[in-house]
Amino acid sequence: MYTLIKITDSPLRTRFLLYFIILTTAPVLVLGAVAISLIDASHRRDVSALELQLINQKIEETEKFLERTLGVLEVVVGYDQKVDIELTQQNFFLDGLLSENDAFEEVSFASVDSAAYGKETAKKSKLYKNPELFTVALLPKFIEAKEGKTYISEVYYTLKGPFVTMSAPVRNRNGIIVEVLSAEVSLQEVVQSINAGSIGARGGIVLADNNGRLIAHREPIFASGAKIGNIFSIKRVLAGEKVDALQPQDRYESLFYKEPVVGAGKKMPDLGWAFLAEWPLSDADAVINGVRNQVLILTLVSILGVLFFAPLVASRLTKPINALKSGAEEIEQGHFDKEVSIATKDELGELGLAFNRMAKGLKRLEELKNEFVYIAAHELRAPVTAIKGYVSLLVEGRAKGGVTLEAAEFIDRIDRANEGLVHLVNDLLEVARSDAGKIEIAVQPVSLGAVVKDVVATMRILAEQKKITFQVQGEIADLHVLADPDKLKEILTNLISNAIKYTLGAGALAIKYELDQGMVITHIEDTGVGISFEAQKKLFEKFYRVKAAGTEEVNGTGLGLFIVKQLVQKMGGKIWFVSQEGKGSTFSFSLPRVS
Ligand code: ADP
């Protein structure tokens, strides 16, 4: 027979569960967090690299445009002598420049010759047929070029967009400067290059000149030439700060996009123009958010998995321990036959086997003890009965006045003591028989009313001596139960005698019946001392006696209720009680009814 192992809430299992959950979820959480932060960091670096790469590309394109355009103006003419170029040739040359270069709006020659120093000699414009000629001697475009340098002015803004003025010296074959050639250059090509630059789906570039005015931006929110130098991010780039999309302040609410962006910027070395790349976060972080969510979901799923499996693992670990615990409890209850079953082939499995061997040993010991008690009680019965016989002869002799008063008193005491001894020996014998399974019961239909009447008749005197009223429910004459008549008498005698014994002083005793699903229940009610809550749990154990105030003098062995329970159960019934300390108890037992 195997013990049914029921896993109830156990602290050990809870502890296992906690350890398991902590040991498994902590690394998962740490790994998840590390993975997310690594992914995040690498993503930030990628964003920064992409933005800076685009900026570098745009700076390069802008520089190339300016260089190329300026290169066109650096002319060397085919003369040796230091003289002005002929006017027709100048005009012809300027016409050629305008028609071949989209960027040029207006081109002009200015003289370096002392006679016409600083005066424009020829000028061609895409807007006017005959543009006016001015003296430019004091303008930087003339001064710089005449000194042999090339010149690019600050950006200025017209209805046609941003422009710069460029100028360069015209030299003869000997390297002597003979004219200054200048041009008004549209930056439309730069604007287009900036507008075409993109990162991701929506990221783009802002270009501002060194004075903080807008040259170009993809989103036409500000007009060309608008003053944007005070916008925080532009200001930082113009101030030469490090803006590389990695600083905390590189993530901000953009005025161009009207939403949070990540920005990176650079200042063009020579002209000091500011290039700022901005990428809306919703676009830049779209992919990484997906990855982060996946890592998060994976982490959560792992934790849920752990939470699901942890109780199973904990149960596996505590199951054998709980089996041993409930096995030990069975043994404590005297059930030595119960075996624990631990299926594992490890130390715990071996412990289970050892436990079962120990239970067998205990069972053998119990059997030996029962045998001993049985033999001892059996052997004691004969001398005790003999003593009883002789004492009753003495009691008779005392009645006839054959003994002294003192001897009479002793005889009385011997009689009472021997009576107790007889009781004990009988109870012991009965218990030993019960333990050895030797109680013989022969059930037959018995009139419950007749047996109760019989027992009550002998008990009534005892009750009356203690001023306890006796009440037996009447209509039981034809109630028959299936029982062994002698054992039924023993049960009733025991319960009624207890009810009398444990009622100190006057009281009331009642016997009542009840029919319940083919059983007859007999209730024995008393108004005695009652039984405390703690004592109730042990009441049917062998040799258990309650230590209640006032009952110290009451004779007893603590075996009566144990025997009664065995007898009731053997006859197919049950026994129970309800009791309230100080108020009284009701003992009830059921027996099968015979109709
Ligand atoms: P005992 O020989 O001591 O009466 P029992 O097995 O009959 O042994 O009873 C065990 C203990 O239960 C008693 O010692 C007593 O303390 C308590 N007991 C039994 N019946 C009653 C009762 N009707 N009222 C109060 N206590 C009782």
Side-chain angles (χ1 to χ4, degrees):
M1 224 192 292
Y2 292 106
T3 317
L4 224 182
I5 299 150
K6 197 176 148 215
I7 302 292
T8 47
D9 261 5
S10 81
L12 187 65
R13 183 167 169 270
T14 315
R15 207 171 325 144
F16 270 143
L17 208 65
L18 268 178
Y19 289 162
F20 189 79
I21 289 174
I22 289 169
L23 284 177
T24 45
T25 51
V28 171
L29 277 175
V30 170
L31 275 181
V34 167
I36 285 179
S37 72
L38 283 179
I39 291 170
D40 231 51
S42 111
H43 171 67
R44 276 165 194 263
R45 280 197 300 276
D46 288 350
V47 167
S48 166
L50 268 174
E51 290 194 329
L52 290 174
Q53 190 189 347
L54 180 65
I55 287 169
N56 287 337
Q57 185 198 334
K58 292 301 159 189
I59 289 181
E60 201 180 313
E61 279 175 27
T62 308
E63 279 172 348
K64 271 199 182 135
F65 165 77
L66 294 173
E67 244 168 65
R68 180 164 33 84
T69 314
L70 207 51
V72 174
L73 296 181
E74 286 182 273
V75 183
V76 175
V77 291
Y79 330 125
D80 295 335
Q81 65 274 55
K82 185 182 174 300
V83 283
D84 286 343
I85 310 165
E86 262 181 50
L87 214 56
T88 45
Q89 272 189 343
Q90 284 189 13
N91 280 324
F92 177 75
F93 183 75
L94 292 180
D95 276 335
L97 275 186
L98 274 194
S99 63
E100 278 165 30
N101 293 285
D102 281 347
F104 290 154
E105 265 309 288
E106 192 180 279
V107 280
S108 60
F109 276 112
S111 175
V112 294
D113 192 47
S114 54
Y117 184 79
K119 289 201 169 117
E120 289 180 332
T121 48
K123 187 184 254 181
K124 291 283 172 180
S125 162
K126 275 183 184 165
L127 260 184
Y128 311 103
K129 203 148 175 45
N130 288 311
E132 225 180 307
L133 298 175
F134 297 108
T135 301
V136 292
L138 295 178
L139 296 184
K141 66 171 180 178
F142 179 79
I143 296 168
E144 295 282 318
K146 151 209 101 153
E147 294 294 327
K149 294 181 218 154
T150 53
Y151 168 76
I152 300 178
S153 73
E154 303 218 322
V155 186
Y156 62 93
Y157 299 86
T158 72
L159 286 176
K160 289 178 93 179
F163 280 82
V164 287
T165 305
M166 287 184 181
S167 65
V170 179
R171 297 172 201 267
N172 69 10
R173 266 200 211 149
N174 297 327
I176 311 276
I177 299 168
V178 291
E179 299 281 344
V180 164
L181 179 54
S182 52
E184 302 309 316
V185 181
S186 160
L187 294 178
Q188 214 48 48
E189 194 177 322
V190 174
V191 171
Q192 271 158 17
S193 147
I194 294 295
N195 289 354
S198 68
I199 335 163
R202 294 169 52 220
I205 297 240
V206 190
L207 174 58
D209 68 21
N210 51 320
N211 294 315
R213 300 182 67 181
L214 179 78
I215 299 177
H217 185 251
R218 218 176 144 191
E219 311 279 323
I221 284 182
F222 296 99
S224 169
K227 290 184 176 158
I228 56 168
N230 271 335
I231 292 176
F232 182 63
S233 43
I234 301 280
K235 207 173 181 174
R236 287 180 60 216
V237 179
L238 283 173
E241 264 181 51
K242 188 177 179 139
V243 183
D244 58 1
L246 292 175
Q247 325 295 321
Q249 62 267 43
D250 296 345
R251 284 172 178 246
Y252 53 87
E253 182 81 22
S254 160
L255 275 171
F256 299 95
Y257 283 98
K258 308 260 184 271
E259 65 176 276
V261 298
V262 51
K266 251 188 183 178
K267 212 160 111 170
M268 201 166 97
D270 291 338
L271 296 177
W273 296 355
F275 287 74
L276 176 73
E278 284 190 341
W279 194 356
L281 283 180
S282 57
D283 184 26
D285 289 348
V287 177
I288 193 69
N289 283 345
V291 173
R292 196 187 292 130
N293 285 349
Q294 272 173 357
V295 171
L296 218 69
I297 288 170
L298 259 172
T299 309
L300 278 180
V301 166
S302 317
I303 290 174
L304 282 181
V306 164
L307 291 181
F308 177 76
F309 284 111
L312 300 183
V313 173
S315 293
R316 265 190 86 87
L317 287 171
T318 50
K319 205 170 151 183
I321 296 168
N322 280 325
L324 284 171
K325 182 176 156 238
S326 58
E329 279 164 4
E330 291 286 354
I331 285 184
E332 191 193 357
Q333 298 293 317
H335 306 142
F336 300 106
D337 281 339
K338 305 266 173 168
E339 283 191 354
V340 296
S341 139
I342 297 171
T344 56
K345 287 192 168 46
D346 51 16
E347 285 88 338
L348 282 170
E350 283 168 23
L351 183 61
L353 294 176
F355 185 91
N356 288 340
R357 283 197 297 275
M358 179 194 76
K360 279 204 184 92
L362 284 173
K363 189 183 173 202
R364 181 69 199 127
L365 269 179
E366 173 82 356
E367 281 166 0
L368 282 173
K369 185 205 79 186
N370 288 345
E371 228 166 284
F372 168 77
V373 173
Y374 180 73
I375 292 169
H378 197 263
E379 294 304 311
L380 275 171
R381 211 149 75 140
V384 168
T385 317
I387 292 169
K388 192 180 170 177
Y390 290 116
V391 169
S392 61
L393 287 181
L394 282 174
V395 172
E396 271 172 40
R398 183 198 62 175
K400 289 177 196 150
V403 289
T404 62
L405 219 58
E406 202 181 15
E409 168 70 26
F410 291 159
I411 290 168
D412 232 18
R413 283 196 198 170
I414 292 170
D415 189 26
R416 276 206 301 274
N418 195 57
E419 198 55 48
L421 204 56
V422 171
H423 208 84
L424 177 63
V425 169
N426 281 338
D427 278 357
L428 276 177
L429 206 56
E430 188 108 29
V431 169
R433 276 202 194 110
S434 155
D435 284 344
K438 281 183 192 162
I439 294 186
E440 270 160 28
I441 293 217
V443 291
Q444 61 187 73
V446 181
S447 163
L448 184 58
V451 181
V452 168
K453 208 172 157 194
D454 200 10
V455 176
V456 165
T458 43
M459 290 288 164
R460 198 176 282 275
I461 312 146
L462 255 177
E464 276 164 8
Q465 277 174 2
K466 291 185 76 174
K467 299 225 165 30
I468 295 172
T469 59
F470 223 124
Q471 216 182 35
V472 182
Q473 195 177 324
E475 63 281 11
I476 49 154
D478 51 353
L479 270 185
H480 278 69
V481 291
L482 206 56
D484 182 317
D486 289 339
K487 304 299 182 201
L488 179 56
K489 202 171 164 184
E490 196 176 332
I491 292 166
L492 283 163
T493 309
N494 235 307
L495 294 179
I496 295 173
S497 113
N498 275 352
I500 297 171
K501 276 192 332 192
Y502 299 107
T503 301
L504 310 172
L509 202 159
I511 298 174
K512 293 176 181 167
Y513 305 94
E514 196 185 321
L515 296 180
D516 181 46
Q517 295 179 355
M519 304 294 277
V520 182
I521 302 170
T522 310
H523 302 287
I524 292 121
E525 281 180 26
D526 67 46
T527 53
V529 293
I531 301 149
S532 72
F533 186 69
E534 297 80 59
Q536 290 187 9
K537 288 179 245 168
K538 298 183 176 173
L539 208 70
F540 289 107
E541 284 177 16
K542 264 183 251 178
F543 300 108
Y544 182 74
R545 303 201 69 208
V546 186
K547 289 188 180 67
T551 62
E552 298 86 356
E553 297 292 308
V554 180
N555 276 329
T557 59
L559 289 169
L561 285 178
F562 174 78
I563 294 168
V564 165
K565 187 176 178 186
Q566 308 301 311
L567 294 177
V568 172
Q569 284 175 346
K570 279 242 149 65
M571 293 194 284
K574 278 186 187 147
I575 180 161
W576 66 95
F577 64 92
V578 282
S579 180
Q580 219 184 334
E581 212 174 352
K583 290 250 168 83
S585 320
T586 300
F587 280 79
S588 314
F589 65 93
S590 62
L591 286 173
R593 180 181 182 196
V594 186
S595 26

